[in-house]
Amino acid sequence: MYIGFDIGGTSIKYGVLNEQGEIIEKAMISTNHEKESLLQDLANITKKYQQQYPDIKGIGVSAPGIIQKDGFMTTAGAIRPLYETNLKEEIEQRTGLPTAVENDANAAAIAEKWLGAAQGIDNYLCMVLGTGVGGGIVINGEVYRGAHGMAGEFGYMMINELPTAGNIEHSSLNLRGAVVGGLSRLYNAARKKEHPETEETLGAKEIFQRAEDGEPLAGQILARYYEELASGLLSLLSAFDPEVILIGGGISANEVFMTGLQEKTLELAKRHGSISFLLGKTIGEIKQAKLKNDAGMIGAVYLVKQLVD
């Protein structure tokens, strides 16, 4: 048995998995953005599971940011207190269990190769949509990490016109194509502008429902969201020539979203002179990741399983 953690900017998903990667049980807590409290949460959950399952062999952790092979987190996405922390060492000191720590999108890519939609595929990308936009790159069957562990930070890509001054990251995929940092942020900012008195902050599910109910603002924001995310996907398709790009994260379970994204990507591809000629020949597909919200946890457990074995 193994414990898996998928640490996100908003919540931490965790559970117990067996040797085959099957989830025996799982739960979720809110992410504590104070370092010691977060680490203590992980230790407490581990202790609880060790009492229930005495044969726990190790811990697999999926987390956002630029993570080195030794578990050192150069960055940690929205979880600022974990920047420049060796999360592997911190967890092992508190639990005494072998621990593997991997970038969330890399972990998702590994999981899809092991048990998901990338079985039998050697060249593919995983894009994970959540608080930000993460990416996993698999080339010739191996995760590509880059020279500094930074490869796959798809969210850093610039996808539209740069502002004339200030932080150009506002034009990045993280702040345009992510679910929290992009869709929800853009919708709530536009809604606040129309109705300054509003205090309610709406998530993706409510925005999709409002669009379905015919609200003009929700429809406009979603149309823009699809276009900017599809623009990023076209860049990745042409830069890496993958067999497929798998879309993960909680929003990927929404069939309306997946259909809208696939249709918009195809529409833009047909409008691109060079790419349009390659459709049906060399341009990869955009597909739903099979393991969805569990992918990060499963991939991280696969890595610690390899470590223990």
Side-chain angles (χ1 to χ4, degrees):
M1 295 287 193
Y2 299 89
I3 297 172
F5 290 104
D6 186 3
I7 303 174
T10 305
S11 62
I12 298 175
K13 297 181 286 292
Y14 62 91
V16 175
L17 292 80
N18 63 19
E19 294 281 344
Q20 290 72 45
E22 297 169 330
I23 297 174
I24 307 305
E25 63 170 281
K26 63 179 179 179
M28 181 173 67
I29 60 171
S30 296
T31 302
N32 196 317
H33 282 247
E34 196 281 316
K35 180 177 176 179
E36 287 303 320
S37 297
L38 189 155
L39 293 170
Q40 192 58 51
D41 284 343
L42 302 183
N44 290 341
I45 291 167
T46 298
K47 184 177 180 180
K48 181 193 75 171
Y49 277 149
Q50 283 181 302
Q51 292 171 348
Q52 290 180 247
Y53 304 93
D55 58 343
I56 295 290
K57 295 181 180 179
I59 300 170
V61 181
S62 161
I66 299 170
I67 303 174
Q68 306 304 319
K69 286 184 178 181
D70 64 357
F72 182 83
M73 302 185 71
T74 305
T75 68
I79 313 171
R80 304 293 301 188
L82 289 184
Y83 278 50
E84 300 190 317
T85 294
N86 191 308
L87 190 58
K88 171 183 168 68
E89 291 181 358
E90 294 282 0
I91 293 174
E92 287 182 341
Q93 288 171 6
R94 287 167 172 78
T95 66
L97 288 171
T99 300
V101 180
E102 181 58 279
N103 166 269
D104 50 7
N106 284 347
I110 291 165
E112 292 293 335
K113 178 75 170 175
W114 184 24
L115 300 172
Q119 294 179 73
I121 299 176
D122 284 336
N123 294 282
Y124 63 97
L125 307 179
C126 275
M127 177 181 280
V128 179
L129 304 174
T131 304
V133 178
I137 303 167
V138 176
I139 299 173
N140 298 328
E142 300 289 336
V143 171
Y144 176 70
R145 306 182 66 86
H148 309 96
M150 183 179 165
E153 287 291 343
F154 298 159
Y156 290 174
M157 295 193 307
M158 313 306 294
I159 58 166
N160 58 19
E161 187 175 346
L162 302 184
T164 56
N167 185 1
I168 65 171
E169 194 168 5
H170 290 294
S171 296
S172 72
L173 200 59
N174 267 336
L175 295 178
R176 298 289 177 176
V179 179
V180 178
L183 176 60
S184 295
R185 181 184 66 84
L186 293 169
Y187 175 79
N188 285 303
R191 189 163 173 264
K192 185 79 172 176
K193 192 173 182 179
E194 284 191 358
H195 306 285
E197 74 285 354
T198 186
E199 293 296 333
E200 186 180 13
T201 300
L202 299 176
K205 287 183 180 179
E206 292 85 0
I207 296 168
F208 273 93
Q209 186 60 57
R210 288 181 175 224
E212 187 178 327
D213 293 341
E215 181 188 280
L217 179 61
Q220 292 164 13
I221 295 294
L222 269 179
R224 176 181 172 185
Y225 179 68
Y226 282 133
E227 183 168 290
E228 294 183 329
L229 189 51
S231 296
L233 289 171
L234 282 186
S235 295
L236 293 171
L237 285 167
S238 57
F240 288 97
D241 185 26
E243 186 170 336
V244 65
I245 298 180
L246 300 175
I247 307 297
I251 197 172
S252 68
N254 184 329
E255 297 296 339
V256 172
F257 162 74
M258 282 303 305
T259 299
L261 181 60
Q262 289 164 331
E263 289 176 349
K264 179 54 70 172
T265 304
L266 180 59
E267 176 194 325
L268 294 187
K270 288 178 177 178
R271 292 173 53 196
H272 189 294
S274 297
I275 292 177
S276 62
F277 174 76
L278 299 173
L279 285 171
K281 301 179 180 70
T282 65
I283 297 298
E285 298 179 80
I286 307 299
K287 290 185 176 180
Q288 184 182 52
K290 179 180 178 181
L291 302 174
K292 301 183 177 66
N293 250 359
D294 295 326
M297 194 162 55
I298 293 171
V301 163
Y302 177 83
L303 289 173
V304 75
K305 181 178 180 296
Q306 297 291 98
L307 178 67
V308 170
D309 290 345

